[in-house]
Amino acid sequence: MTYEVEKTEEEWRKQLTPDEYHVLREAGTERAFTGEYTDTKTTGVYECRACGAELFRSDTKFESHCGWPSFYDPADSAAVELLPDRSHGMVRTEVRCARCGSHLGHVFQGEGYPTPTDQRYCINSVSLRLVPRED
C-alpha cells in the first residue's frame, strides 16, 4: 500500500517513542485503562500521532468502558482505512491512518451502544494526539 506519508522504519523509530512505535508501526496494543485519552472529555480534534492527520473529533467520542478511547465515527470516512484482521484467533477490522498507514486500533459493530452508527472505533491513546479546540 502506498501512503501520502512514507518513511523508513529507521525514520519512524527516530520520530516515535518505543511505545508509540510498537502500537503505530507494529500494530501493538496499549494496556487497557492506561491511555491518556481513555477518560478525556476535552473538546477538540484527535490527530494521528505519527503524521498529524485529523482522525476523530471529540463530539463522536463516547464512554464504552472498554479501556480505550471509543468513537462512533471518524472525522472523515477517508481519514481511516479498514482492513481485515485475523490475528489472535479472531476476526476483527483493523483501523489504520489513511495518510501514513499507522495502526490505530479496531472497529466493532453491533455491540448495542446507543450511538448513531452502531460502531465502536476502539483506538489506542498512544496513536492519537488531542488538539483542544473551543466550539
Side-chain angles (χ1 to χ4, degrees), residues 2-118:
T2 302
Y3 297 100
E4 179 183 336
V5 176
E6 295 270 345
K7 295 184 180 188
T8 66
E9 291 311 305
E10 183 178 318
E11 290 171 319
W12 283 122
R13 283 187 189 277
K14 284 181 182 176
Q15 175 187 331
L16 303 169
T17 68
D19 287 340
E20 291 168 352
Y21 183 86
H22 175 64
V23 172
L24 290 160
R25 305 309 305 170
E26 298 178 321
T29 302
E30 66 191 359
R31 287 181 300 126
F33 301 102
T34 63
E36 66 181 304
Y37 301 128
T38 303
D39 298 316
T40 300
K41 301 203 184 331
T42 303
T43 300
V45 172
Y46 290 87
E47 297 178 341
C48 175
R49 195 170 295 235
C51 74
E54 182 178 319
L55 300 171
F56 299 95
R57 295 186 183 135
S58 60
D59 60 354
T60 65
K61 189 173 186 286
F62 69 100
E63 292 187 33
S64 67
H65 308 286
C66 71
W68 294 273
S70 296
F71 304 86
Y72 62 79
D73 208 18
D76 179 338
S77 61
V80 298
E81 69 174 335
L82 306 178
L83 301 167
D85 178 359
R86 291 178 175 76
S87 64
H88 306 293
M90 58 183 115
V91 178
R92 302 179 291 176
T93 302
E94 180 185 10
V95 181
R96 287 189 189 174
C97 174
R99 186 166 177 241
C100 70
S102 289
H103 173 77
L104 305 171
H106 292 86
V107 62
F108 303 93
Q109 189 156 339
E111 296 178 315
Y113 290 103
T115 62
T117 63
D118 195 28

